[in-house]
Amino acid sequence: MGLEHLKDIGAIIDDLDAMGRLIRIKSEVDINLDLAGIAAEFERGPRAVLFENVKGQAAPVLIGLYWSRELLGALMRTPERELPALVSKHIQKWQVDPVAPVVLKDGPVREVTEKKVDVTKLPIPVHATKDGGAYFDAAMVITKDPDTGVRNASIQRFQIIDKDTLAVNIDSGRHLELYLAKARAKGEHLPFTLNVGIGPGFHFASSAPAEAAPPEKDELGIASEFHGEPVELVASDLSATLAPRGMVKVKRIHRRKNPVMQTILPGTEVHNSVGLLGEANVLNLLKLQVPGVKDVFFTHGGCGFYGAVVQIAQTRAGWAKQ
């Protein structure tokens, strides 16, 4: 079943609001530490938070989309306990019969193009006292393999350095690291887009484990499965170079007339968002190898990916050990 509202952050906010699963903070909030501190009071609750009056900013900030599986299940019209199976089903469908994205000449994201690039003016929160600065932490990277042209999606942390420079922390073993190395071997920069305000379909496509989403397949097809129709893309680019830490030059900022910034509170949101993907992947693998496996849960104590609890209906000695 397609969930068309998942592809648009505005539609997601309206849907949460209609279900009573959105807290609107109307009083003025500072982007520096205060926003994250207030959000932490609602962490793990069944409602996301929209900060409508961010000091010095025109755009609101949404946080908490992934900190409750109850909330996420309601948004995706799926019982909480069945979320890993839903994610697994969509990934398996994509693996067998992928739906390619559609590239358009124009779209809502191009309603406004900033004449001068200055990312320091965007409502990017400073989350913690020991953070090096403000980070994009929920934005989706879309890039292409310099050799094959196959698209890849991922979520990385980008720190704001100055008005048009970002530093990126790339998780080891991710395809983005491979693509940067290929670009460097060619003596080229790596063009990509950094997309803010994405729904769960895009988020899960970006977080799919390498074992489930090999580099020769376009991961955005996973988002198409969640949306029930081909993903629509509009071309633009930033560029990155491989240094001791990847450095990014921002070339353009495209946005809607009334944009919404989305961010993730480190902790439970991360554990849930990556844990669901890990659970779905491990569940698929275990079911192929061990009879009786019924469910898998990645514990928050294991940061959503370092510890797993496996449920098994053992009818023959040795299955649990296996």
Side-chain angles (χ1 to χ4, degrees), residues 27-38 51 53-57 124-126:
S27 56
E28 186 179 77
V29 175
D30 197 307
I31 200 76
N32 185 10
L33 300 178
D34 287 349
L35 185 147
I38 294 170
F51 292 91
N53 186 6
V54 181
K55 184 177 180 180
Q57 302 290 338
I124 313 299
V126 177

Side-chain angles (χ1 to χ4, degrees), residues 10-24 26 48 50 52 71 75:
I12 286 173
I13 289 172
D14 290 343
D15 192 68
L16 293 175
D17 208 10
M19 292 189 293
R21 292 188 176 274
L22 184 71
I23 298 170
R24 293 180 179 270
K26 298 182 181 295
L50 183 68
E52 297 184 327
L71 165 68
L75 181 66

Side-chain angles (χ1 to χ4, degrees), residues 192-216:
F192 67 94
T193 60
L194 188 62
N195 305 271
V196 180
I198 61 171
F202 286 114
H203 193 93
F204 292 145
S206 303
S207 305
E211 298 86 354
E216 64 271 14

Side-chain angles (χ1 to χ4, degrees), residues 19 76 84 98 111 131 133 144 155 164 188 199 222 236 248 256 259 277-278 283 285 299 301 305 313:
M19 292 189 293
M76 301 177 71
E111 288 178 350
D131 274 352
K144 291 182 178 180
I155 294 177
D164 66 349
E188 301 172 351
I222 297 173
S236 186
V248 177
R256 299 191 178 201
L277 272 297
L283 184 60
L285 293 174
T299 65
F305 41 80

Side-chain angles (χ1 to χ4, degrees), residues 83-321:
L83 282 172
L86 176 70
V87 174
S88 173
K89 180 187 75 172
H90 285 314
I91 291 178
Q92 287 182 319
K93 174 69 164 52
W94 165 76
Q95 289 171 334
V96 174
D97 185 23
V99 177
V102 176
V103 180
L104 307 176
K105 292 183 179 180
D106 203 0
V109 73
R110 285 182 175 270
E111 288 178 350
V112 175
T113 297
E114 303 279 355
K115 293 182 179 179
K116 293 183 179 180
V117 171
D118 189 349
V119 293
T120 66
K121 293 183 178 180
L122 299 176
I124 313 299
V126 177
H127 290 89
T129 55
K130 293 186 178 181
D131 274 352
Y135 288 85
F136 291 91
D137 70 349
M140 174 179 64
V141 176
I142 299 178
T143 188
K144 291 182 178 180
D145 187 314
D147 292 336
T148 66
V150 174
R151 271 182 295 259
N152 175 259
S154 64
I155 294 177
Q156 318 287 342
R157 280 166 58 93
F158 288 80
Q159 182 184 0
I160 296 176
I161 305 301
D162 56 41
K163 65 180 183 179
D164 66 349
T165 307
L166 309 174
V168 56
N169 180 40
I170 302 174
D171 294 338
S172 179
R174 299 301 297 271
H175 296 154
L176 182 58
E177 183 181 53
L178 171 65
Y179 290 5
L180 271 172
K182 288 185 175 184
R184 181 176 62 177
K186 293 173 175 287
E188 301 172 351
H189 299 300
L190 181 69
F192 67 94
T193 60
L194 188 62
N195 305 271
V196 180
I198 61 171
F202 286 114
H203 193 93
F204 292 145
S206 303
S207 305
E211 298 86 354
E216 64 271 14
K217 297 194 69 171
D218 187 338
E219 293 169 330
L220 287 176
I222 297 173
S224 298
E225 294 298 330
F226 281 93
H227 298 170
E229 61 184 31
V231 164
E232 295 179 344
L233 306 176
V234 178
S236 186
D237 63 279
L238 295 85
S239 64
T241 57
L242 194 60
R245 175 157 293 184
M247 300 301 294
V248 177
K249 282 296 179 182
V250 182
K251 294 184 176 181
R252 297 174 193 85
I253 297 176
H254 300 298
R255 62 174 175 83
R256 299 191 178 201
K257 291 179 181 178
N258 299 300
V260 176
M261 177 60 63
Q262 182 193 2
T263 190
I264 283 180
L265 189 68
T268 304
E269 279 209 81
V270 178
H271 303 166
N272 277 333
S273 59
V274 300
L276 280 171
L277 272 297
E279 289 168 16
N281 190 47
V282 170
L283 184 60
N284 286 340
L285 293 174
L286 287 180
K287 281 186 171 181
L288 293 174
Q289 300 176 49
V290 184
V293 170
K294 299 179 65 177
D295 204 356
V296 174
F297 177 69
F298 279 25
T299 65
H300 292 172
C303 299
F305 41 80
Y306 290 128
V309 176
V310 179
Q311 183 184 42
I312 183 171
Q314 179 170 278
T315 58
R316 183 176 299 174
W319 280 2
K321 183 177 179 180

